[in-house]
Amino acid sequence: RVLSLELNKDRDVERIHGSGINTLDIEPVEGRYMLSGGCDGVIVLYDLENLSRKPSYTCKALCSVGRSHPDVHKFSVETVQWYPHDTGMFTSSSFDKTLKIWDTNTLQLADVFHFEGTVYSHHMSPVATKHCLIAVGTKSPKVQLCDLKSGSCSHILQGHRQEVLAVSWSPRHEYVLATASADSRVKLWDVRRASGCLCTLDQHNGEKSKAPSEAVNTAHNGRVNGLCYTSDGLHLLTIGTDDRMRLWNSSTGENTLVNYGKVCNESRKGVKFTVSCGCNPEFAFVPYDSTIAVYTVFTGELITMLRGHYSTVDCCVYQPNFQELYSGSKDCNILAWIPALREPLPDDISEKSLPQQHLNPAYEDAWSSSDDEG
């Protein structure tokens, strides 16, 4: 289904934003409600369900925090995220140096955290049961951890040298956090440890550098502005302004050396990319100029480019229940990418007798029977 994703002519997302869309999130409880955040500070909440039951429909905006709302963000909203455990609450962070906690039903502020610099990224753990920490990446090299329970910034992770452009909790270990910075580094932390930092990812896998004093591990040769764990948490994808994407073993920190080719990335801020969930193979969906590039995660193959936006794509989000993708762009549009329906085969034709060249290479059977191996 993912291999047949196409721009769906029958599904529109109501156009509310008057400026570019930076961030999207679909709540994990039902997979039905989506948030979007725009360059003008506006946040919109959509219902993705087809309530009309007609084949052609528009996903309606249920409500929005518009420019006239007393608590609207003053500047660009960079990240929106649903509270992972229910839809009664969501979070947003902005270039206006705040992280806001919202009551979904009233669209009123439940809490607000203030920072000294621009906020590029924040994330709540999808799996945490023992903590309510929101990791926040800002213009400061210090990673802030805000505690929802106490309403205070509980502690700080120190180690980066420049601004922190992306943060992501592991979907496997509730205390493990990955952070990416303009200092070319990606760090993994265990937030329970006093020192915090577990490791700094090294693109050269610990090759001894010529001058030991210069042995500084870098993940990219540029700013690292995107992070995404695979759905099982065993691997971590990173992207940088060196036009590279890298896949790391998240437990050993090893660079797996998968080659994705040139992954064009000129963004001055965080890039919101995503991965599939429950597919075999797994796919990465990466904003690439005005398209979305679809890669197989473990072989690095570029499967397709999804074309439909008129301007730079800034974010995409995957809906696992139906294997759908939604993308947001500077063109103010949110597009829905839906698997194309395959025409059913007449009963008298078997799949085997069809010409094989239509098979996408990612589908091909890579198994060999044990007889061949002697």
Side-chain angles (χ1 to χ4, degrees):
R1 283 171 62 86
V2 170
L3 292 170
S4 64
L5 280 177
E6 61 178 31
L7 190 56
N8 192 293
K9 299 168 192 66
D10 294 325
R11 187 174 323 177
D12 271 330
V13 179
E14 191 177 352
R15 183 167 167 160
I16 303 287
H17 284 281
S19 69
I21 295 156
N22 296 323
T23 171
L24 294 169
D25 192 41
I26 296 174
E27 45 84 16
V29 182
E30 290 178 80
R32 173 175 172 180
Y33 299 105
M34 180 169 74
L35 291 165
S36 62
C39 293
D40 56 1
V42 170
I43 299 168
V44 184
L45 196 167
Y46 302 88
D47 186 347
L48 301 179
E49 191 151 310
N50 181 2
L51 299 171
S52 72
R53 299 281 174 260
K54 294 180 182 141
S56 202
Y57 73 101
T58 299
C59 300
K60 288 287 184 202
L62 296 181
C63 55
S64 66
V65 180
R67 295 303 314 159
S68 58
H69 191 288
D71 297 311
V72 66
H73 281 290
K74 292 185 178 59
F75 303 125
S76 176
V77 175
E78 291 299 303
T79 313
V80 289
Q81 189 192 1
W82 287 100
Y83 181 60
H85 307 297
D86 68 63
T87 55
M89 187 162 77
F90 67 88
T91 56
S92 62
S93 60
S94 161
F95 278 178
D96 67 9
K97 308 179 183 178
T98 65
L99 162 69
K100 294 184 174 183
I101 317 298
W102 300 87
D103 179 315
T104 310
N105 300 309
T106 63
L107 284 193
Q108 299 299 308
L109 274 187
D111 209 345
V112 58
F113 296 89
H114 296 272
F115 302 93
E116 285 176 12
T118 303
V119 183
Y120 288 103
S121 170
H122 79 269
H123 193 231
M124 273 179 288
S125 167
V127 294
T129 54
K130 300 186 183 72
H131 72 77
C132 274
L133 297 173
I134 306 177
V136 187
T138 70
K139 216 166 180 59
S140 156
K142 298 171 184 170
V143 181
Q144 312 258 359
L145 298 178
C146 297
D147 192 341
L148 264 187
K149 285 204 178 84
S150 68
S152 67
C153 281
S154 58
H155 49 296
I156 284 172
L157 305 174
Q158 300 203 51
H160 282 297
R161 299 180 184 180
Q162 290 181 46
E163 53 198 4
V164 177
L165 300 171
V167 295
S168 181
W169 292 96
S170 161
R172 194 175 188 90
H173 303 291
E174 68 174 292
Y175 292 106
V176 173
L177 176 71
T179 59
S181 166
D183 64 10
S184 306
R185 294 183 185 80
V186 173
K187 290 181 176 287
L188 299 180
W189 315 79
D190 181 331
V191 299
R192 294 168 301 184
R193 290 167 51 145
S195 62
C197 193
L198 293 170
C199 70
T200 302
L201 299 183
D202 175 18
Q203 60 184 308
H204 305 296
N205 281 334
E207 291 170 16
K208 295 288 171 278
S209 65
K210 295 179 178 62
S213 61
E214 292 300 302
V216 178
N217 299 348
T218 58
H220 288 266
N221 300 324
R223 299 154 62 86
V224 193
N225 58 352
L227 283 177
C228 188
Y229 276 97
T230 54
S231 55
D232 59 13
L234 294 174
H235 291 86
L236 177 69
L237 280 162
T238 62
I239 53 180
T241 54
D242 55 359
D243 293 339
R244 288 280 173 263
M245 179 158 73
R246 296 207 163 92
L247 180 72
W248 310 82
N249 177 316
S250 60
S251 55
T252 65
E254 183 187 5
N255 179 1
T256 63
L257 303 176
V258 173
N259 182 4
Y260 300 94
K262 182 179 178 181
V263 182
C264 204
N265 171 12
E266 295 170 357
S267 177
R268 300 294 304 153
K269 51 188 193 177
V271 175
K272 310 289 197 277
F273 70 110
T274 191
V275 289
S276 63
C277 169
C279 297
N280 187 14
E282 294 285 2
F283 300 96
F285 306 96
V286 185
Y288 194 112
D289 293 333
S290 63
T291 69
I292 299 132
V294 183
Y295 298 93
T296 49
V297 169
F298 294 105
T299 65
E301 186 183 359
L302 176 60
I303 297 293
T304 186
M305 304 284 269
L306 302 177
R307 301 176 194 281
H309 282 290
Y310 301 114
S311 185
T312 309
V313 179
D314 283 322
C315 55
C316 50
V317 64
Y318 183 71
Q319 208 286 21
N321 307 8
F322 303 113
Q323 290 98 35
E324 298 168 350
L325 188 76
Y326 292 84
S327 58
S329 159
K330 285 195 172 51
D331 64 13
C332 310
N333 291 320
I334 297 173
L335 298 183
W337 308 87
I338 313 295
L341 292 172
R342 286 176 60 184
E343 294 299 318
L345 292 170
D347 293 341
D348 55 342
I349 301 180
S350 77
E351 293 253 358
K352 288 277 193 298
S353 65
L354 287 175
Q356 287 299 299
Q357 67 267 27
H358 296 313
L359 207 58
N360 188 297
Y363 274 133
E364 280 175 16
D365 196 345
W367 294 98
S368 60
S369 71
S370 52
D371 303 347
D372 303 342
E373 300 184 355

